[in-house]
Amino acid sequence: GHDGSFGYIKAVELAASSSIIHKRTGYLLCSCCLAPEHEFRFMLVNQMQRDMASSSILEICGSLIAVTNLITADMVPAMASHVEKLLDHGSEVVRKKAIIAMHRFHQLCEDTVSRDDLVDKLRKVLCDRDPSVMGS
């Protein structure tokens, strides 16, 4: 194939777009094209944190999906607290994706997920009122 590195910055800009379609396309392109050690991945951390704080469920879900695909072990501490807050979100879809993201964090960096207060919170998720959250 041909070198497409000239377009990586445009993918990051797409992820920062206000349009949900552009944002999800940017996250998808970054997860497919950026190597784990690429410096543009660190630029995405701030954007994912902003999207997790959004009031839009679509933006939150998009950033949680991106977290599972783009995060590396050195980024886990920066993202863990934001994902932990979403474990109590009102939407079952967001809670489910937050559990999946926490599972990915556990695969990358066990120490981040093994705190006692977080383990208790994760145990409570096993008794969630929505079966899809329990199953994740």
Side-chain angles (χ1 to χ4, degrees), residues 1-56:
H2 296 283
D3 181 33
S5 60
F6 62 89
Y8 293 168
I9 190 65
K10 288 298 180 188
V12 173
E13 289 174 6
L14 272 176
S17 173
S18 60
S19 165
I20 192 69
I21 294 171
H22 292 154
K23 185 179 293 292
R24 299 217 31 194
T25 304
Y27 281 142
L28 177 65
L29 188 58
C30 288
S31 66
C32 291
C33 296
L34 295 181
E37 64 277 353
H38 200 281
E39 62 269 7
F40 284 171
R41 283 184 181 243
F42 293 101
M43 294 172 64
L44 289 169
V45 169
N46 190 29
Q47 183 59 43
M48 288 185 285
Q49 289 173 342
R50 266 186 267 142
D51 288 343
M52 283 185 209
S54 172
S55 60
S56 168

Side-chain angles (χ1 to χ4, degrees), residues 54-66:
S54 172
S55 60
S56 168
I57 292 176
L58 293 175
E59 285 186 12
I60 296 170
C61 289
S63 66
L64 287 170
I65 292 169

Side-chain angles (χ1 to χ4, degrees), residues 80-131:
S81 64
H82 295 279
V83 175
E84 182 181 345
K85 291 176 190 172
L86 295 175
L87 292 172
D88 297 326
H89 196 272
S91 171
E92 65 276 352
V93 175
V94 173
R95 290 193 311 270
K96 179 181 175 180
K97 291 185 186 314
I99 288 294
I100 294 169
M102 292 304 269
H103 181 255
R104 180 68 178 143
F105 291 170
H106 178 69
Q107 290 173 334
L108 294 171
C109 182
E110 287 185 25
D111 298 340
T112 306
V113 186
S114 62
R115 294 187 344 254
D116 289 337
D117 59 327
L118 184 56
V119 170
D120 290 339
K121 194 179 261 191
L122 292 173
R123 283 188 182 144
K124 288 179 186 175
V125 172
L126 289 174
C127 300
D128 195 273
R129 63 186 176 271
D130 190 272

